[in-house]
Amino acid sequence: MGFLELNHITKRFANFTAVENFNLEVEKGEFVSFLGPSGCGKTTTLRMIAGFETPTSGKIIINGEDVTYRAPNQRKIGMVFQSYALFPNMTVADNIGFGLKVARKPTAEIKERVKEMLLLIHMEEFADRYPYQISGGQQQRVALARAIAIRPTLLLLDEPLSALDAKIRVELRNEIRAIQQKLGITTIYVTHDQEEALSLSDRVVVMNKARMEQVGAPFEIYNFPQTPFVASFVGTLSILNAEVVNPAQGLLKVDGQEFYGPGGLEARPGDILRIALRPEIVSLKETAADMNRMNVQVQTITFLGSVVRVQVKLETSRMFFDLFNNPSLQLPREGENLTIYFPKSACLVLGK
Amino acid sequence: MKRFWSWLWIALGAVYFFLPLYATLRFSLMMKKGELSLLAYEKVLTDPAFVKAFVFSAEMAVFTILVSLLLVVPTAYWVHLRLPQLKPVMEFITMLPFVIPAIVLVFGLIRAYSKPPLLLTPSPALLVMAYCVLAMPYMYRSVDVGLRAIDVRTLTEAAQSLGAGWPTILFKVIFPNLRSALLGGTFLTFAIVIGELTIAASLAWPALGPYMAVLGQNRAYEPAALAIMSFVLTWGSILLIELVGRGRGGLRSDQLAGTH
Amino acid sequence: MDAGYQAKQLKKDAPAARPSFPRVNWNWLGVAPFFLFTFLFIILPASVIFVGSFQDLRGNFTLDNITGLFTPYILNSYKLTIQVSLVTAIGGAIFGFLLAYAVTIGGLPHWVKSVLSSFSGVASNFAGVPLAFAFISTLGRVGLVTVFLKGLGIDIYNNGFNLYSFWGLALTYMYFQFPLMVLTIIPALEGLKKEWREACENLGASRLDYWRYIGFPILLPSLLATTILLFGNAFGAYATAYALTGGSLNLVPIIIGAQIRGDVLNNPNLGYALALGMVVIMGLMVLLYSLLQRRASRWLK
């Protein structure tokens, strides 16, 4: 039995369904991300856990207790909002101590806890500042400390980094993970940024159109997407429309060139399937035995920093792949003919 | 429960707002004993003194609008374009008419301009200037907000880089973008000036405000009719402001007038 | 980063050197007409009042006019004016706040808010002589409501009410006071973010805690600022009071008005001091108002 259980959660609003039959068990101390495009129901699910929305049907159980209809202020759940939501009329210290203050804790205890929290987020010298006097990243760290100060059973983060600059985002992301691991606090993290979800989480729940698409560790989600949506939403893909030659063997054909996908395809010869390839899996050398090979012509080369993205053409189909950058890299030239290699297991079938 | 209280307050507000209007309307229709009639309105509208007072106030309103526009629009534009460091000073100046109540202002004006060589009190120009002071906060703020919304400097530079001269910049680029701000300020100024009493009475001009005040002391039904007409006029002005300001948030609190 | 590179950076960031001889800034010419106008029609009359307050009839410096303000008649008129302004400002603020609260947080349909805003825009501009007429038609001795209540056996004029007295005037002023509050406080109420309430609930706070520690403290500067605005609105009001009460209430604006028409104070220079007193009070109000506004906007941005 999990620490947090969501059983058959469904939420319907007047004219649409926001969340449909959501099931999840989260272990104590686990870090789980809800990943999906905006409007997929991830935030609604989070708000139901927090108590701001009540599910139309289903149950929410925390630590063995049914909290489905409990008021938000009785749940002891810490939440961090996208817009920080710091109280503008209070100093950093007062913000952090607010939860303890309304719980009528003794002043000395509040002071002690606030100090501890400030130390945790490395902002000891900002205790007396007001929110408008500190940066966005600092505000969000204070919001995190405020949520943790009450020793919540559960920590909820609703797109906490999306209002920040790229650099601060990565910095704070690592800090959130470090604090979470240090305190061992069970955490649900909502984001639309796959990099965030993959880098932070123990498990990722990919959602689309009110439904869960796949639940799994980041490694599984990225390498073994189980639905076309997950494959296309997580990571970048190059997509080929291939004709099925032999479904049992997984033999496919595109622009006259044959290659192998996974065997036992559920299709008939002559069907057209959408086959996806991760750009980083393609190489210019045969690095293992028995790889697919294809003859292509280079069209454009885009320098992206750590990788170089090469756009190539077969006859009419196009695809792209990435080469890791290093100073001695021999860049292909535009118009050059190349042979590319990729493992048979690398082809993801997205359907017809 | 929460809704009940909300509705209750709204209902009270509605009573406060409509009851005096309804009472005034009823009152204005009771001039003929025993029946409802428009006699009070007829009497007012056919009174030559009323027509004269109304025409005089309307003329003053038109002059005030013209002078305020000429005074405020180029200044506000110039401050935005070339002298942004002057903005706090302008804010301060436009606060002054609020600090100096109309009655104090006119008192000062009379004492300053009633002897030669500065003899202005016999001229309606002083009345217009005093009205311009009253209207200045509303006119300036209206234009200032309008200018803020369009980023004057960039627009002007863009027009200049395309080869436009000053007349083209002003009349083809800036003014059309300020249309709703200018119209808002204009209607508000009209609403302020048309029934103004304090300054007109103190400078002894036969304007609509003093006419109404005298009528109120001598008659019973005509003042009610006048109140209704003036309410309709106010309503019309505000409605026009909301119409031209639509999409820009409608009536703003900084556009609220007052010659209370 | 080595020192040489740093130095280069510094040089690059330094502003381009300007010619050092002073130049006439022709830009100032563009605002000259406006400043001339301000000087002639605001600063000059204000200075005349200021100077006159400290002069006797022969033009010599004196403080007699200022001390003359501290006589019972004038002190009482200030007191009365401040009372009317305070009562209508606080009353208008409370009633206006309740209405604004009802349409923003009180769960009423959205159209109620736009209707209320429109009506408030009209009502806050409906003042002066016509407003006085409207209240005379309603609550005057033969006003509709007075007569109606008499028919029910309640004679309000026998029970201490009089439209032409303090409370009558206050009731009339309220007609333009509370709509002004509605219009200025709706944006402040809308500035209260939903997330603050949610964060608050999350941390275990009750509804009361929210209003006590967050909602009310955040609104307080706006509430006070608007109340001051209403105070000033009533304090300088002349037309409504004059049309309603004639000269029967000794309000400062009414006395100044009388002083303009004829020297009712038997000392022309005392009139200056009276006016100066109003300006000083209004100036303090505006100062307080802008300080509070600054704080409110800092929080709500």
Side-chain angles (χ1 to χ4, degrees):
Chain A
M1 203 180 69
F3 179 72
L4 164 71
E5 284 180 54
L6 302 171
N7 292 333
H8 305 288
I9 300 287
T10 295
K11 176 71 183 176
R12 289 196 185 86
F13 290 106
N15 46 12
F16 77 108
T17 304
V19 179
E20 176 106 54
N21 195 22
F22 191 99
N23 282 291
L24 183 72
E25 282 195 14
V26 180
E27 297 304 322
K28 198 168 172 76
E30 205 180 0
F31 194 120
V32 175
S33 291
F34 294 174
L35 173 66
S38 56
C40 71
K42 56 191 195 301
T43 296
T44 309
T45 310
L46 195 79
R47 290 173 60 79
M48 285 191 281
I49 301 173
F52 299 131
E53 310 279 356
T54 311
T56 313
S57 64
K59 265 189 196 162
I60 299 169
I61 295 164
I62 299 176
N63 208 5
E65 274 184 273
D66 186 344
V67 299
T68 317
Y69 301 104
R70 195 175 283 182
N73 57 7
Q74 305 298 318
R75 292 193 187 198
K76 254 199 132 177
I77 291 177
M79 184 151 168
V80 176
F81 297 80
Q82 182 178 351
S83 58
Y84 327 134
L86 291 183
F87 307 131
N89 57 325
M90 294 185 197
T91 61
V92 165
D94 288 342
N95 262 286
I96 296 175
F98 183 77
L100 301 169
K101 185 170 165 186
V102 295
R104 315 279 182 258
K105 292 272 195 280
T107 321
E109 188 188 325
I110 298 176
K111 234 175 158 179
E112 191 55 38
R113 182 71 177 159
V114 168
K115 218 166 144 191
E116 200 182 315
M117 287 294 109
L118 284 168
L119 215 65
L120 186 72
I121 56 168
H122 313 295
M123 285 183 62
E124 301 91 313
E125 67 275 30
F126 295 93
D128 296 323
R129 299 271 190 99
Y130 281 89
Y132 67 89
Q133 294 170 317
I134 57 179
S135 72
Q138 289 171 327
Q139 288 191 49
Q140 198 57 300
R141 269 148 71 192
V142 174
L144 182 67
R146 181 178 69 180
I148 294 172
I150 57 167
R151 296 192 170 82
T153 52
L154 200 60
L155 179 63
L156 308 178
L157 299 118
D158 186 6
E159 308 226 7
L161 306 178
S162 36
L164 301 169
D165 315 340
K167 204 170 170 193
I168 308 223
R169 206 146 61 202
V170 175
E171 225 175 87
L172 195 51
R173 182 169 94 193
N174 297 333
E175 208 168 318
I176 288 175
R177 181 58 164 160
I179 290 173
Q180 188 267 339
Q181 283 181 329
K182 190 168 163 190
L183 304 178
I185 185 169
T186 317
T187 303
I188 308 284
Y189 188 100
V190 162
T191 180
H192 63 261
D193 181 326
Q194 40 146 329
E195 199 184 311
E196 265 172 36
L198 296 175
S199 64
L200 280 169
S201 326
D202 296 316
R203 279 195 297 159
V204 177
V205 178
V206 183
M207 293 183 71
N208 184 35
K209 293 184 181 156
R211 290 176 171 279
M212 304 171 80
E213 291 273 335
Q214 189 176 349
V215 184
F219 186 82
E220 285 170 51
I221 297 275
Y222 190 85
N223 291 310
F224 309 105
Q226 279 162 12
T227 67
F229 174 79
V230 177
S232 57
F233 189 75
V234 181
T236 36
L237 291 173
S238 192
I239 292 174
L240 292 168
N241 289 316
E243 187 190 331
V244 178
V245 179
N246 184 335
Q249 292 172 357
L251 187 61
L252 302 153
K253 192 167 81 178
V254 62
D255 286 352
Q257 301 195 42
E258 290 188 341
F259 65 100
Y260 285 92
L265 289 169
E266 284 172 23
R268 283 191 301 259
D271 285 355
I272 304 290
L273 289 180
R274 294 172 69 223
I275 302 295
L277 276 174
R278 296 266 183 230
E280 67 271 21
I281 208 144
V282 174
S283 58
L284 294 174
K285 290 195 193 85
E286 192 158 17
T287 50
D290 213 20
M291 285 176 97
N292 283 318
R293 64 171 67 199
M294 253 179 212
N295 297 315
V296 295
Q297 190 185 30
V298 178
Q299 288 209 291
T300 57
I301 293 167
T302 316
F303 188 71
L304 298 177
S306 62
V307 297
V308 179
R309 182 154 291 175
V310 185
Q311 181 109 36
V312 296
K313 182 170 95 163
L314 285 82
E315 215 161 89
T316 53
S317 306
R318 288 153 203 272
M319 60 185 288
F320 59 89
F321 63 90
D322 289 349
L323 298 173
F324 281 104
N325 181 27
N326 70 64
S328 59
L329 180 70
Q330 290 271 312
L331 285 176
R333 269 188 300 278
E334 292 182 10
E336 188 181 342
N337 288 313
L338 291 175
T339 305
I340 56 168
Y341 301 86
F342 53 92
K344 291 174 180 172
S345 60
C347 299
L348 306 167
V349 181
L350 298 187
K352 289 178 190 178
Chain B
M1 198 55 207
K2 194 171 146 196
R3 294 251 173 97
F4 166 77
W5 285 107
S6 299
W7 282 120
L8 181 79
W9 295 122
I10 293 294
L12 267 175
V15 168
Y16 206 133
F17 183 77
F18 285 111
L19 193 63
L21 292 180
Y22 172 74
T24 314
L25 185 65
R26 273 302 294 261
F27 211 78
S28 72
L29 299 174
M30 298 195 310
M31 195 167 183
K32 243 186 219 164
K33 280 251 153 51
E35 63 170 302
L36 297 180
S37 71
L38 292 170
L39 188 61
Y41 294 85
E42 217 183 297
K43 286 248 158 145
V44 170
L45 292 173
T46 51
D47 179 358
F50 166 78
V51 178
K52 243 173 108 182
F54 185 84
V55 170
F56 178 81
S57 282
E59 278 172 10
M60 291 302 111
V62 171
F63 284 125
T64 305
I65 288 164
L66 286 178
V67 175
S68 322
L69 284 176
L70 277 174
L71 212 52
V72 165
V73 178
T75 309
Y77 174 65
W78 199 247
V79 166
H80 269 260
L81 189 66
R82 291 286 167 84
L83 296 165
Q85 69 270 30
L86 224 58
K87 276 183 196 174
V89 180
M90 296 302 288
E91 296 249 319
F92 175 75
I93 293 177
T94 49
M95 272 291 224
L96 285 178
F98 190 72
V99 179
I100 304 170
I103 188 75
V104 175
L105 177 75
V106 73
F107 183 58
L109 284 173
I110 290 172
R111 295 296 141 104
Y113 293 110
S114 55
K115 334 181 248 293
L118 290 172
L119 186 63
L120 278 179
T121 36
S123 153
L126 190 64
L127 184 64
V128 170
M129 289 305 162
Y131 283 165
C132 286
V133 174
L134 284 194
M136 187 170 76
Y138 311 103
M139 194 60 108
Y140 185 82
R141 269 165 209 220
S142 194
V143 174
D144 185 55
V145 170
L147 285 169
R148 250 174 238 212
I150 59 170
D151 190 0
V152 199
R153 196 179 275 233
T154 317
L155 269 185
T156 305
E157 284 169 0
Q160 280 175 327
S161 76
L162 293 169
W166 280 109
T168 318
I169 293 173
L170 285 177
F171 289 98
K172 292 261 163 80
V173 180
I174 302 297
F175 290 163
N177 277 305
L178 284 180
R179 202 181 57 108
S180 78
L182 295 180
L183 285 174
T186 300
F187 293 133
L188 207 61
T189 305
F190 184 81
I192 293 172
V193 171
I194 193 72
E196 204 281 334
L197 171 77
T198 313
I199 292 176
S202 302
L203 289 173
W205 288 102
L208 193 57
Y211 169 82
M212 287 199 283
V214 171
L215 199 72
Q217 282 160 5
N218 307 322
R219 304 288 177 84
Y221 300 102
E222 287 94 331
L226 266 171
I228 291 296
M229 286 192 275
S230 121
F231 179 79
V232 170
L233 211 65
T234 310
W235 188 285
S237 306
I238 301 293
L239 211 68
L240 283 172
I241 295 170
E242 286 208 33
L243 275 179
V244 299
R246 184 160 289 171
R248 300 206 173 179
L251 192 75
R252 292 180 309 268
S253 56
D254 56 75
Q255 287 186 336
L256 296 168
T259 48
H260 310 320
Chain C
M1 203 189 280
D2 67 288
Y5 181 70
Q6 255 176 12
K8 228 157 85 190
Q9 276 298 99
L10 278 176
K11 220 176 189 174
K12 218 169 90 188
D13 290 344
R18 283 165 189 273
S20 59
F21 56 87
R23 272 206 350 228
V24 180
N25 192 343
W26 295 106
N27 283 337
W28 294 96
L29 216 58
V31 291
F34 182 81
F35 278 80
L36 184 68
F37 168 83
T38 306
F39 174 76
L40 284 179
F41 299 105
I42 301 179
I43 309 291
L44 189 66
S47 315
V48 166
I49 287 172
F50 184 81
V51 172
S53 303
F54 296 98
Q55 277 180 343
D56 61 19
L57 286 172
R58 262 177 266 133
N60 299 319
F61 176 82
T62 177
L63 285 174
D64 286 352
N65 303 316
I66 305 297
T67 50
L69 292 178
F70 295 89
T71 49
Y73 175 70
I74 289 178
L75 274 184
N76 275 334
S77 72
Y78 270 111
K79 206 172 124 197
L80 187 68
T81 315
I82 291 173
Q83 273 172 345
V84 170
S85 308
L86 213 57
V87 164
T88 62
I90 292 172
I94 292 173
F95 190 47
F97 177 79
L98 288 170
L99 286 169
Y101 182 91
V103 296
T104 48
I105 304 172
L108 296 185
H110 193 75
W111 61 265
V112 185
K113 191 179 84 186
S114 29
V115 170
L116 181 70
S117 299
S118 290
F119 283 87
S120 299
V122 176
S124 66
N125 279 295
F126 187 62
V129 190
L131 178 66
F133 289 170
F135 270 80
I136 292 169
S137 305
T138 312
L139 286 164
R141 281 186 192 281
V142 290
L144 206 77
V145 171
T146 315
V147 171
F148 175 76
L149 288 174
K150 217 177 210 166
L152 296 177
I154 309 165
D155 188 339
I156 51 173
Y157 275 80
N158 276 352
N159 286 305
F161 180 81
N162 183 355
L163 182 65
Y164 314 102
S165 72
F166 180 88
W167 288 106
L169 187 70
L171 201 65
T172 311
Y173 277 11
M174 284 283 280
Y175 197 86
F176 59 73
Q177 292 284 56
F178 81 85
L180 191 58
M181 179 71 181
V182 168
L183 288 171
T184 47
I185 213 71
I186 281 181
L189 278 166
E190 285 178 335
L192 290 177
K193 286 192 200 141
K194 192 184 75 180
E195 283 87 354
W196 291 335
R197 188 189 283 257
E198 290 183 348
C200 200
E201 276 188 81
N202 233 295
L203 295 164
S206 65
R207 223 178 120 77
L208 194 70
D209 286 328
Y210 168 74
W211 280 107
R212 180 169 158 204
Y213 295 118
I214 292 142
F216 187 66
I218 292 176
L219 283 180
L220 193 63
S222 309
L223 283 172
L224 287 176
T226 312
T227 310
I228 289 170
L229 194 73
L230 299 191
F231 180 91
N233 211 17
F235 191 73
Y238 171 78
T240 313
Y242 178 76
L244 194 69
T245 67
S248 66
L249 271 183
N250 269 324
L251 297 167
V252 180
I254 297 280
I255 299 178
I256 296 177
Q259 181 75 3
I260 291 174
R261 284 191 298 274
D263 187 9
V264 291
L265 294 171
N266 300 319
N267 177 2
N269 290 66
L270 189 53
Y272 291 120
L274 201 62
L276 183 68
M278 280 195 90
V279 174
V280 168
I281 292 175
M282 287 301 283
L284 285 176
M285 290 296 145
V286 167
L287 191 70
L288 207 57
Y289 170 82
S290 41
L291 287 176
L292 286 164
Q293 271 299 357
R294 194 174 302 168
R295 161 155 284 203
S297 68
R298 206 167 58 185
W299 280 353
L300 288 173
K301 238 162 219 166

